[in-house]
Amino acid sequence: AVMKELSEDARWADATLAIASCCDEPAWARECLAKFDLGLGGGRRLQDILTVQQIRKGNKQFHLRQIQGAAGCELSEMIFFDNEPYNCYDVNELGVTCVYCP
């Protein structure tokens, strides 16, 4: 339901959806995004609704700064979701709103 709203509701038309992933196999991560069917009809995949992708080695502060530059927004305008508490602590230092998702 969330992905459907973000991708179809006009209220979110100006929102930037981004992903920040630190991994050893960026090509594999991109392949997963290309295969993740959103179940919205039309065969839309997760990669289709992402505006910015930061998939590489590096810490989350680096990733979020890169997303900030690509999206043209302030760090304080971002919301960051992560399942690792240390990533939330790290990104919170930048002024980004963080949501821990265990």
Side-chain angles (χ1 to χ4, degrees), residues 1-8 17 36 38 40 46 49:
V2 171
M3 294 300 184
K4 180 174 179 59
E5 181 175 331
L6 289 173
S7 64
E8 296 179 359
L17 300 178
F36 191 99
L38 294 174
L40 302 177
L46 185 54
I49 67 167

Side-chain angles (χ1 to χ4, degrees), residues 19 36 50 79 93:
I19 189 167
F36 191 99
L50 295 172
I79 302 173
E93 291 178 3

Side-chain angles (χ1 to χ4, degrees), residues 6 10 12 16 19 21 23-24 26 30 36 41 48 52 55 57 60 66-67 70 72-73 80 83 88 93 96 98 100:
L6 289 173
W12 302 106
T16 297
I19 189 167
S21 179
C23 67
D24 295 327
R30 288 185 184 89
F36 191 99
D48 299 332
V52 182
I55 304 173
K57 286 191 175 194
K60 295 298 181 184
Q66 294 296 307
I67 291 170
C73 66
F80 174 74
N83 66 328
C88 291
E93 291 178 3
V96 174
C98 298
Y100 173 58

Side-chain angles (χ1 to χ4, degrees), residues 14-98:
D14 294 330
T16 297
L17 300 178
I19 189 167
S21 179
C22 179
C23 67
D24 295 327
E25 299 293 336
W28 179 81
R30 288 185 184 89
E31 182 179 342
C32 288
L33 294 174
K35 291 181 176 182
F36 191 99
D37 187 342
L38 294 174
L40 302 177
R44 285 188 291 169
R45 310 289 179 187
L46 185 54
Q47 75 172 5
D48 299 332
I49 67 167
L50 295 172
T51 309
V52 182
Q53 296 180 26
Q54 277 297 309
I55 304 173
R56 65 187 70 207
K57 286 191 175 194
N59 68 31
K60 295 298 181 184
Q61 285 192 0
F62 175 79
H63 288 139
L64 274 283
R65 285 188 175 113
Q66 294 296 307
I67 291 170
Q68 174 195 24
C73 66
E74 297 297 324
L75 289 164
S76 61
E77 296 176 295
M78 294 182 177
I79 302 173
F80 174 74
F81 297 85
D82 203 286
N83 66 328
E84 300 291 348
Y86 58 87
N87 286 332
C88 291
Y89 298 134
D90 192 39
V91 170
N92 190 295
E93 291 178 3
L94 297 174
V96 174
T97 298
C98 298

